[in-house]
Amino acid sequence: MLEEILEANKEFVDNFEPVSLGHLPEKKVAILTCMDCRLTGFLPNALGIGRGDAKIIRNAGNTIVGEDAIRSIAAAIYSLGCEEVLVVGHTECGMAHANPDAVKSKMIEMGIDEADIEAVGDLATWIGAIPGEEQNVLETVETIKNHPLISSEIPIHGLIMDITTGEVEVLIDGRE
Ligand code: ZN
């Protein structure tokens, strides 16, 4: 796969007219969304977000597990000038069906020590299994809003995107 990617990169660079963009997002928005491969090349277009417009943070299930996504959101706000945060979940999210038992079996099959798996505590929590796509967006928005290092001046919106049509529904309007 690496070969294929490097070939594609060469072809891209050969045909690309370089443009210089600043690192501050034009639309002053940070988006926390899922790593789902169907959102790649889809979610930004569906939201009118172009190159240089937004900080997009992606992880499995657009969740806050530990501090890492919060760290990125804080950087987007305090270092990069973002004034709004969108949490965008999507229908048919794989993380709504994450099976910790299956994950554990696969880990063991691939040589991971069972003691190391036990050490993370509840595997479903660690992997970021979500209760349901909409419920997860509501909970994630609450977690961000209630984080002591996230200013209440920043609206945190919660949306869900139809993975087939790209249509979004606003579950939480952070301005309200
Ligand atoms: Zn997902």
Side-chain angles (χ1 to χ4, degrees), residues 23-31 43-44 47-57 76 80 82 84 86:
H23 73 292
L24 301 179
E26 286 289 334
K27 295 196 170 166
K28 301 187 180 197
V29 67
I31 299 173
L43 177 137
L47 300 179
I49 302 289
R51 191 164 176 243
D53 277 346
K55 295 295 171 185
I56 301 185
I57 302 142
L80 304 165
C82 286
E84 281 181 73
L86 265 66

Side-chain angles (χ1 to χ4, degrees), residues 101-159:
D101 293 332
V103 170
K104 184 176 176 180
S105 303
K106 191 75 182 173
M107 283 177 163
I108 290 169
E109 191 188 309
M110 295 185 72
I112 307 296
D113 197 323
E114 195 158 352
D116 290 324
I117 302 171
E118 300 297 333
V120 303
D122 180 45
L123 193 59
T125 304
W126 183 82
I127 205 92
I130 65 173
E133 292 88 344
E134 294 197 4
Q135 184 61 28
N136 175 55
V137 169
L138 301 179
E139 288 178 9
T140 301
V141 167
E142 278 307 301
T143 304
I144 298 168
K145 261 174 76 173
N146 294 327
H147 195 282
L149 298 184
I150 300 298
S151 167
S152 59
E153 290 177 17
I154 302 293
I156 317 290
H157 311 290
L159 290 77

